[in-house]
Amino acid sequence: MFTLLFICFTCIIFGKIFLFAVKASWGIVKILFTVLLLPLLLILLVIAGLFYIALPVLVIVGVVSLISSHT
């Protein structure tokens, strides 16, 4: 009986810890993407001569960030 309770509570606790880890890692990935990867991608596109692709991407990201910051 106690073994069954122990197993249930262990699964619940480690399930909550796992969900917290997934949420934390998703937040870290979003921060890394917006701070490091997106500017690096835009710089590499401009260096490679793909300015006509980099400019619309920059405009779209700017508009989305303005809209999301006001809501």
Side-chain angles (χ1 to χ4, degrees), residues 45-66:
L45 283 172
V46 170
I47 290 172
L50 300 172
F51 186 74
Y52 294 111
I53 296 173
L55 187 63
V57 170
L58 183 63
V59 169
I60 290 170
V61 170
V63 168
V64 169
S65 66
L66 282 174

Side-chain angles (χ1 to χ4, degrees), residues 9-37:
F9 288 144
T10 303
C11 289
I12 291 170
I13 289 171
F14 283 112
K16 288 184 179 184
I17 290 172
F18 176 74
L19 289 176
F20 176 72
V22 168
K23 289 179 185 178
S25 64
W26 177 247
I28 291 170
V29 167
K30 286 194 303 186
I31 290 170
L32 284 176
F33 180 72
T34 56
V35 172
L36 293 177
L37 293 179

Side-chain angles (χ1 to χ4, degrees), residues 1-8:
M1 183 68 179
F2 287 119
T3 306
L4 183 63
L5 283 173
F6 179 77
I7 291 171
C8 288

